[in-house]
């Protein structure tokens, strides 16, 4: 993931979603949220992929960090717009990461980024 | 997610990866693994997305289910081929889902699939 490497336990927010047809403003807001999340206390990293279904996983030091980020004023506005315009449906899961391991090919340099 | 709905706590395996240029056989194997995982004891669902980075999250009743799936003979072969051919790097995280909530637009029918 982007951000700081830490050993478990830490926390993950798994956000899975399907978009509506109304994507105006979405990409800019999503980029802003990634930028803003990275400045929050306890932020460890974020990863996203989309192919129809979108999956974003953000990583956090503890539940208090997640709770604070959920209540950030700019994030609240993004959440409002998401419900009003951008998301057909979504599911949020908060999970405690207990184990982690990585693989990287030797020809890719040393270890994952 | 696909599969059976359950209330937390349950478990998630978060698999993030980057592929090599050698994708021969990958799609067929990935489809087979989804099909096979769905028949395993304790399987709750699976979701995937890729846009450069690939993210697959599978959901399981308990750690014993995850451990058994990791040792399934066909899955072991898929893991071997993944390391040999398909993955430039990957990270696996095992996480305990503690909270979950969903949103679905009214015009999409009642509740997420």
């Amino acid at each position: 993931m982007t951000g700081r490497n830490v050993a478990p336990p830490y926390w993950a927010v798994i956000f899975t979603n399907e978009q509506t047809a109304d994507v105006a403003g979405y990409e800019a807001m999503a980029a802003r949220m990634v930028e803003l999340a990275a400045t929050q206390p306890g932020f460890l990293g974020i990863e996203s992929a989309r192919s129809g279904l979108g999956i974003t996983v953000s990583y956090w030091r503890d539940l208090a960090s997640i709770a604070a980020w959920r209540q950030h004023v700019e994030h609240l506005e993004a959440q409002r717009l998401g419900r009003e315009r951008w998301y057909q449906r979504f599911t949020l899961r908060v999970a405690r990461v207990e184990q982690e391991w990585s693989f990287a090919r030797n020809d890719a340099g040393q270890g994952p980024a």
Side-chain angles (χ1 to χ4, degrees), chain A:
Chain A
M1 59 182 160
T2 60
R4 273 88 54 197
N5 281 338
V6 293
Y10 56 88
W11 291 79
V13 178
I14 305 166
F15 178 58
T16 54
N17 63 81
E18 290 172 17
Q19 292 178 308
T20 62
D22 177 12
V23 296
Y26 176 80
E27 286 299 331
M29 179 65 90
R32 171 63 184 151
M33 287 303 107
V34 168
E35 177 185 86
L36 188 62
T39 68
Q40 301 307 299
F43 174 85
L44 300 175
I46 189 166
E47 297 177 303
S48 288
R50 179 178 299 281
S51 40
L53 180 73
I55 304 178
T56 295
V57 189
S58 60
Y59 304 96
W60 301 88
R61 181 81 58 179
D62 49 35
L63 280 176
S65 307
I66 294 170
W69 169 234
R70 283 178 53 77
Q71 294 303 314
H72 187 290
V73 62
E74 271 193 71
H75 191 199
L76 286 172
E77 174 65 3
Q79 291 170 48
R80 188 184 67 76
L81 289 168
R83 288 170 186 267
E84 275 189 18
R85 299 184 191 172
W86 295 319
Y87 294 120
Q88 194 65 33
R89 67 168 195 88
F90 65 73
T91 298
L92 270 163
R93 294 180 174 89
V94 177
R96 187 173 188 265
V97 178
E98 303 283 356
Q99 305 167 30
E100 172 191 323
W101 57 100
S102 290
F103 163 81
R105 301 182 77 77
N106 288 335
D107 59 16
Q110 294 309 305

